Amino acid sequence: MAQPLVKKDDDRDDEVDYSPFLGIEKGAVLQEARVFNDPQLDPRRCSQVITKLLYLLNQGETFTKVEATEVFFAVTKLFQSRDMGLRRMVYVIIKELSPSADEVIIVTSSLMKDMTSKTDMYRANAIRVLCRITDGTLLTQIERYLKQAIVDKNPVVASAALVSGIHLLQTNREIVKRWSNEVQEAVQSRAALVQFHALALLHQIRQNDRLAVNKLVSSLTRGSVRSPLAQCLLIRYTSQVIQESTNDTQTGDRPFYDFLEGCLRHKAEMVIFEAARAITELNGVTSRELTPAITVLQLFLSSSKPVLRFAAVRTLNKVAMSHPTAVTNCNIDMESLISDQNRSIATLAITTLLKTGNESSVDRLMKQITNFMSDIADEFKIVVVDAIRSLCLKFPLKHRSLMNFLSNILREEGGFEYKKAIVDSIVILIRDIPEAKESGLLHLCEFIEDCEFTYLSTQILHFLGIEGPKTSDPSKYIRYIYNRVHLENATVRAGAVSTLAKFGAMVDGLKPRIFVLLRRCLFDNDDEVRDRATLYLNTLGGDGAVVETDEGVKEFLFGSLDVPLVNLENSLKNYDPSEKAFDINSVPKDVKTQPLAEKKATSKKPTGLGAPPPGPPSTVDAYEKLLSSIPEFASFGKLFKSSAPVELTEAETEYAVNVVKHIFDGHVVFQYNCSNTIPEQLLENVTVIVDASEAEEFAEVDSKPLRQLPYDSPGQTFVAFEKPEGVSAVGKFSNMLRFIVKEVDPSTGEAEDDGVEDEYQLEDLELVAADYMLKVGVSNFRNAWESMGVDFEHVDEYGLGPRDSLAEAVNAVINLLGMQPCEGTEVVPPNSRSHTCLLSGVYIGNVKVLVRLQFGLDGPKDVAMKLTVRSEDETVSDAIHEIVASG
């Protein structure tokens, strides 16, 4: 049954308006549809029934094939009526019912008759419906009418044909491309919408031909576009041409920039804004180029139209991320927007001011924001919190007032995401600003006194256990932590016990007090809390137990887990309890991607938000067993790493091939997974001929061909290379698939005796530095970093050149090194001008490596990076720097 649409009226809070479709049922409406068969049609009643049918369809009601067919045939009889309102409803219901190919024939003649009607409304709607339900065969029959409609004098008809062409381009591209002359003529139309739709279609027809797009833009920028909508489209296409031209030439010249600047003086506001936005989004835009656009946007800030104020302040907000000084002149205008009735505008104004303000304006902004925060929704508050965090990192001396502000709003009402954003910001400030540590930790302690979110409480307790013992007076945090043992749920109580143990391990003067508190926890009614208390007492020696060394205790409490949790979980599930204890060293350290064959067999059922995503199967053992079973490769030793499959062919080609790179200390084995997608062929003696002329450090030592490759039955062929042992040698390999092809009789399935030797060119394969690195995470990066020590630390700075964003630079370095990002540091906040990323991994030779990357914007787009590497081997630290320097 359809659900009621309930709406509150602002002036009549006690009254409720219900949908006119309240209570309608599909069965009853289908019965009413019989009125379509009446000899004397009632247009008003028929329109009402069609409206109900459309409502049911749009509410997700499904019609069976029989029901849809009956309704469709009944609706076709309504073409007899000359009522224009009913005819429009008939067009809509036919489109929504999406008739099958057999049913389309029934209405084709009626629709084609309407296409040539003298009534323009019939013609336009008939074109839209026909193009929606037609296939390629019928389209060729009506193509002549569509071409005529494109250049029709009536703009409604012409626009209908052009919009239909845009939709048909997705399914019948070759047919639509034949309309170019007519579309070109429509671009010169004096009707605004016709010119807009014609330009959109013409660009889509030519979008894969850069030269044609350049010519189109060049001809239209001379002033033949009158429609403001079409002018906005032209600005977007021009901006695209400028970006591509700049990428190609690298000379700094910008073709068509004068056109964009000229559009800033257009009489239509939408064109002015579109041009200003396009200029601000140009790659490597200079302050001189920005000035006219910023001036126009500044005028929009004082507009009486909310949409213009919003558009201007949002664009300036984006510009402030990369060119804060360019926006400074607009600060006075934006301060007046803080009290704007539209909260979205006010939020953007505040965050922009936070990015562009100087140190002396911080206190004044904080006073204005304090009154403002209570009036906006959580989603806007999160934006403000992120901006305040960035401001605090920019002006560390202001940390006290900014930290107090975050603490105050943390105690106010708000949802989980909002509170989490505040907590995350305080944690980042504590880590990056040493002077803010003690006050920040106290603010967090005060928050968990009243925190209603279990996740946040446990995360704060975990962070307290790491940072609290390092402060000048760790004892002042103990009261807050122990209170959680009495006043919280079992999950938080267990977290508090672990935090107490960490204080006991790190601060000798607190050990007796911690022992007393942990003994009290032995009487808790929750198993997890009691077990943790018992474990930590024994570990710390609180009950007279023989305790390990201090280093051993700290490693137990603070040490990182060297294996991915998903692999540990899978190994524990597969563990068969016996006299033999579980060995954590047996857990695979690398998270593997599924091979091609396993991917095809995997269910495609989507994973919803409510269920955890399935962990990847451990393929380490499978690959190792496969390779060790081949005598030629059995002597290569232990497999270090296997890569994810790399596709060497395009999708839907006659032969599908991907390759997995298996890395050993002194060898590399390429496993080529091959599939034959041609039913009438059998491939025999399948091999891959590898040319290693661009990989000088590699020498081919062996290969294993595939005897047969039938249709749709994947197989593998292998090629092995020798390389210098323990060295991350890189290079490019050319690949040629060679085989004997035999024709297969479709009736018997038997192959012919004689075959023909053939070859198939594959894509090149590169062996890169990341192939020699295992992605292995650590649970606590700071402790792992400190325990690694500075003996083999190597620090250097690099210029990464111009980048589209800081996030792009971070991702590029992560992909170059092939290491595992830690603690979510791969995510760059959208308004950051600096960022720290933490990486961990295991280098070939089983050498642990930790990397700290510190990025910063040096100028508008240039990115500078400081790279700090710690490892267990000095040569490995040097190798990581060599990878970055050469990458």
Side-chain angles (χ1 to χ4, degrees):
M1 181 182 291
Q3 297 298 313
L5 175 68
V6 181
K7 185 180 79 172
K8 273 276 190 182
D9 193 301
D10 294 336
D11 299 325
R12 298 176 297 168
D13 291 343
D14 297 332
E15 297 182 22
V16 178
D17 293 333
Y18 288 93
S19 165
F21 304 106
L22 175 64
I24 67 170
E25 294 182 348
K26 183 176 74 170
V29 176
L30 291 176
Q31 289 292 328
E32 288 185 63
R34 293 180 178 179
V35 299
F36 301 159
N37 299 315
D38 289 351
Q40 297 295 324
L41 291 173
D42 182 349
R44 187 170 181 273
R45 190 178 175 201
C46 290
S47 295
Q48 289 176 341
V49 175
I50 291 177
T51 304
K52 292 180 181 179
L53 288 166
L54 290 169
Y55 176 77
L56 290 172
L57 286 168
N58 282 281
Q59 290 297 308
E61 191 76 58
T62 55
F63 286 38
T64 65
K65 179 68 175 172
V66 174
E67 290 170 345
T69 302
E70 288 179 355
V71 171
F72 175 74
F73 279 111
V75 166
T76 58
K77 297 178 181 179
L78 299 181
F79 277 102
Q80 302 170 27
S81 173
R82 295 188 178 277
D83 184 88
M84 294 187 69
L86 178 58
R87 181 65 62 90
R88 296 180 72 176
M89 298 299 293
V90 170
Y91 292 135
V92 177
I93 191 67
I94 288 175
K95 282 203 301 182
E96 291 298 322
L97 285 172
S98 300
S100 64
D102 295 335
E103 296 166 346
V104 167
I105 299 172
I106 307 299
V107 291
T108 300
S109 58
S110 298
L111 291 171
M112 290 182 69
K113 183 179 177 182
D114 283 355
M115 274 184 67
T116 56
S117 169
K118 293 181 180 180
T119 306
D120 290 334
M121 191 277 290
Y122 286 0
R123 294 167 61 202
N125 283 298
I127 289 170
R128 291 178 184 273
V129 176
L130 262 176
C131 293
R132 170 72 175 268
I133 65 176
T134 192
D135 58 10
T137 307
L138 181 59
L139 187 60
T140 55
Q141 299 177 28
I142 64 172
E143 184 180 3
R144 178 167 59 91
Y145 300 108
L146 292 173
K147 285 184 176 182
Q148 292 173 356
I150 288 173
V151 293
D152 196 276
K153 292 180 180 179
N154 188 300
V156 177
V157 176
S159 276
L162 290 165
V163 171
S164 298
I166 292 172
H167 292 302
L168 288 169
L169 199 64
Q170 311 303 320
T171 54
N172 297 277
R173 186 174 186 82
E174 292 305 316
I175 293 177
V176 178
K177 284 172 70 175
R178 298 202 292 257
W179 306 350
S180 292
N181 291 337
E182 287 77 14
V183 178
Q184 184 81 49
E185 186 177 338
V187 171
Q188 307 303 322
S189 171
R190 302 185 70 87
L193 271 181
V194 173
Q195 193 172 48
F196 170 64
H197 291 139
L199 179 56
L201 178 55
L202 191 60
H203 179 265
Q204 287 201 24
I205 290 173
R206 299 182 178 182
Q207 64 181 354
N208 295 326
D209 185 347
R210 282 182 56 182
L211 182 59
V213 172
N214 281 351
K215 286 182 178 179
L216 174 65
V217 170
S218 181
S219 63
L220 294 178
T221 51
R222 298 193 185 106
S224 59
V225 177
R226 303 178 191 86
S227 163
L229 287 169
Q231 188 83 347
C232 289
L233 266 187
L234 180 58
I235 289 171
R236 294 185 182 185
Y237 301 152
T238 303
S239 178
Q240 180 185 341
V241 170
I242 291 175
Q243 303 280 34
E244 292 173 351
S245 302
T246 305
N247 291 340
D248 289 346
T249 61
Q250 298 295 327
T251 61
D253 298 333
R254 293 193 194 276
F256 307 117
Y257 174 79
D258 292 339
F259 167 73
L260 293 182
E261 192 172 359
C263 289
L264 296 174
R265 296 181 287 277
H266 199 277
K267 60 184 178 181
E269 290 169 336
M270 70 169 77
V271 175
I272 297 171
F273 171 72
E274 192 67 39
R277 188 172 67 87
I279 290 173
T280 61
E281 292 179 353
L282 292 175
N283 284 338
V285 63
T286 64
S287 298
R288 186 189 65 80
E289 292 171 329
L290 272 177
T291 301
I294 298 294
T295 303
V296 166
L297 294 171
Q298 186 175 4
L299 293 174
F300 282 174
L301 290 176
S302 55
S303 170
S304 59
K305 299 176 181 178
V307 67
L308 283 179
R309 297 200 303 274
F310 175 78
V313 74
R314 185 174 67 166
T315 306
L316 290 171
N317 186 279
K318 291 180 180 178
V319 175
M321 294 180 191
S322 54
H323 297 82
T325 54
V327 186
T328 306
N329 293 337
C330 305
N331 282 4
I332 296 175
D333 298 276
M334 280 189 286
E335 284 193 30
S336 64
L337 294 179
I338 295 177
S339 57
D340 196 285
Q341 291 180 345
N342 187 309
R343 295 290 84 187
S344 299
I345 295 175
T347 305
L348 286 167
I350 280 287
T351 53
T352 308
L353 286 167
L354 289 173
K355 294 170 190 172
T356 59
N358 51 38
E359 196 163 2
S360 61
S361 66
V362 170
D363 294 329
R364 177 165 49 85
L365 282 174
M366 286 299 102
K367 290 179 182 177
Q368 291 176 293
I369 296 174
T370 303
N371 302 325
F372 162 81
M373 290 292 282
S374 59
D375 298 332
I376 60 175
D378 279 5
E379 58 183 313
F380 297 128
K381 291 179 181 177
I382 292 172
V383 176
V384 175
V385 168
D386 290 341
I388 289 173
R389 181 187 68 219
S390 299
L391 186 69
C392 193
L393 293 173
K394 184 178 179 182
F395 303 121
L397 295 177
K398 291 292 182 180
H399 73 85
R400 193 175 304 280
S401 60
L402 294 171
M403 189 73 84
N404 286 336
F405 175 81
L406 291 175
S407 174
N408 290 334
I409 62 174
L410 187 57
R411 290 193 288 270
E412 295 175 358
E413 292 295 322
F416 171 75
E417 292 297 334
Y418 172 47
K419 294 297 179 74
K420 182 176 181 296
I422 301 172
V423 170
D424 289 345
S425 296
I426 293 176
V427 167
I428 290 171
L429 297 180
I430 291 172
R431 285 178 173 171
D432 292 359
I433 305 175
E435 296 81 5
K437 178 179 288 187
E438 300 212 8
S439 62
L441 290 175
L442 277 176
H443 289 318
L444 292 178
C445 287
E446 291 168 359
F447 169 63
I448 59 173
E449 295 276 276
D450 303 308
C451 181
E452 57 186 303
F453 302 110
T454 298
Y455 173 82
L456 289 181
S457 295
T458 53
Q459 291 300 303
I460 291 172
L461 287 168
H462 173 70
F463 184 67
L464 271 173
I466 297 171
E467 298 294 337
K470 301 173 185 176
T471 59
S472 59
D473 185 11
S475 61
K476 62 185 174 184
Y477 306 110
I478 300 299
R479 173 174 61 87
Y480 296 101
I481 299 168
Y482 187 64
N483 283 346
R484 300 305 97 214
V485 177
H486 294 294
L487 305 174
E488 292 285 1
N489 58 47
T491 304
V492 178
R493 296 203 304 273
V497 169
S498 297
T499 303
L500 286 172
K502 290 175 181 177
F503 272 80
M506 295 291 288
V507 186
D508 290 336
L510 290 177
K511 268 190 179 181
R513 184 179 174 187
I514 297 297
F515 290 157
V516 172
L517 299 179
L518 288 177
R519 288 192 190 100
R520 293 178 185 173
C521 297
L522 296 174
F523 302 99
D524 194 277
N525 57 9
D526 181 74
D527 291 343
E528 175 76 11
V529 176
R530 292 196 305 272
D531 289 349
R532 288 196 186 194
T534 303
L535 173 65
Y536 294 138
L537 278 169
N538 283 319
T539 304
L540 297 170
D543 284 337
V546 178
V547 69
E548 299 181 54
T549 63
D550 284 349
E551 286 301 318
V553 172
K554 291 177 183 176
E555 176 64 26
F556 174 74
L557 288 172
F558 297 97
S560 60
L561 194 61
D562 286 342
V563 296
L565 288 176
V566 65
N567 290 2
L568 178 59
E569 181 184 8
N570 289 336
S571 298
L572 287 170
K573 285 180 179 177
N574 297 329
Y575 171 62
D576 184 18
S578 61
E579 293 182 2
K580 185 179 179 182
F582 177 77
D583 183 8
I584 197 167
N585 292 321
S586 66
V587 180
K589 293 185 177 182
D590 197 13
V591 177
K592 290 294 180 182
T593 309
Q594 291 169 280
L596 179 68
E598 291 185 31
K599 280 187 178 179
K600 289 189 174 181
T602 303
S603 168
K604 294 185 178 180
K605 182 179 179 182
T607 304
L609 289 174
S618 175
T619 58
V620 182
D621 294 339
Y623 280 139
E624 195 149 23
K625 287 178 182 177
L626 173 65
L627 294 169
S628 61
S629 67
I630 300 173
E632 294 88 342
F633 310 146
S635 61
F636 289 175
K638 185 171 178 60
L639 176 65
F640 173 71
K641 178 184 178 180
S642 298
S643 74
V646 179
E647 298 296 335
L648 299 182
T649 56
E650 294 181 358
E652 300 179 0
T653 54
E654 52 265 55
Y655 309 115
V657 181
N658 68 37
V659 61
V660 178
K661 297 174 275 189
H662 300 295
I663 309 297
F664 295 85
D665 272 349
H667 295 83
V668 175
V669 177
F670 296 143
Q671 173 186 328
Y672 295 91
N673 301 311
C674 309
S675 290
N676 172 18
T677 63
I678 305 177
E680 298 81 13
Q681 288 186 358
L682 170 68
L683 307 186
E684 291 186 348
N685 195 25
V686 181
T687 58
V688 176
I689 307 302
V690 183
D691 178 5
S693 57
E694 294 185 59
E696 297 177 353
E697 295 183 82
F698 295 85
E700 185 173 337
V701 292
D702 221 324
S703 64
K704 182 173 176 59
L706 177 62
R707 193 172 66 84
Q708 280 192 336
L709 187 62
Y711 164 67
D712 203 24
S713 179
Q716 295 88 31
T717 177
F718 300 84
V719 181
F721 285 84
E722 189 175 25
K723 69 173 187 66
E725 191 163 337
V727 175
S728 57
V730 298
K732 181 186 286 189
F733 301 81
S734 300
N735 304 283
M736 177 76 74
L737 187 68
R738 184 173 292 174
F739 48 84
I740 296 173
V741 59
K742 293 184 176 181
E743 297 295 327
V744 175
D745 187 341
S747 58
T748 62
E750 294 183 0
E752 296 179 356
D753 293 336
D754 297 328
V756 179
E757 189 169 306
D758 200 358
E759 293 180 343
Y760 188 80
Q761 185 65 51
L762 304 177
E763 297 286 341
D764 290 346
L765 170 67
E766 283 194 86
L767 203 61
V768 296
D771 291 321
Y772 297 94
M773 182 73 72
L774 278 174
K775 288 186 176 182
V776 179
V778 292
S779 57
N780 188 319
F781 186 88
R782 174 166 292 200
N783 289 321
W785 180 264
E786 291 176 354
S787 63
M788 185 76 74
V790 297
D791 294 343
F792 302 128
E793 181 179 278
H794 187 164
V795 185
D796 209 341
E797 295 182 355
Y798 301 89
L800 303 184
R803 299 280 176 168
D804 287 342
S805 66
L806 207 58
E808 185 211 336
V810 172
N811 290 331
V813 177
I814 292 174
N815 293 333
L816 177 66
L817 296 177
M819 300 180 71
Q820 178 67 43
C822 300
E823 301 176 7
T825 54
E826 72 277 16
V827 179
V828 181
N831 54 354
S832 292
R833 291 185 60 80
S834 62
H835 184 69
T836 299
C837 182
L838 311 175
L839 306 176
S840 68
V842 174
Y843 194 68
I844 188 168
N846 288 315
V847 180
K848 292 181 181 178
V849 186
L850 298 174
V851 167
R852 187 193 298 271
L853 303 167
Q854 293 170 285
F855 297 87
L857 285 174
D858 183 14
K861 291 288 184 180
D862 289 338
V863 178
M865 180 185 75
K866 181 179 179 181
L867 170 63
T868 308
V869 182
R870 289 186 181 182
S871 74
E872 299 172 331
D873 188 327
E874 186 175 10
T875 58
V876 173
S877 297
D878 295 338
I880 300 299
H881 277 272
E882 287 176 15
I883 292 170
V884 173
S886 60

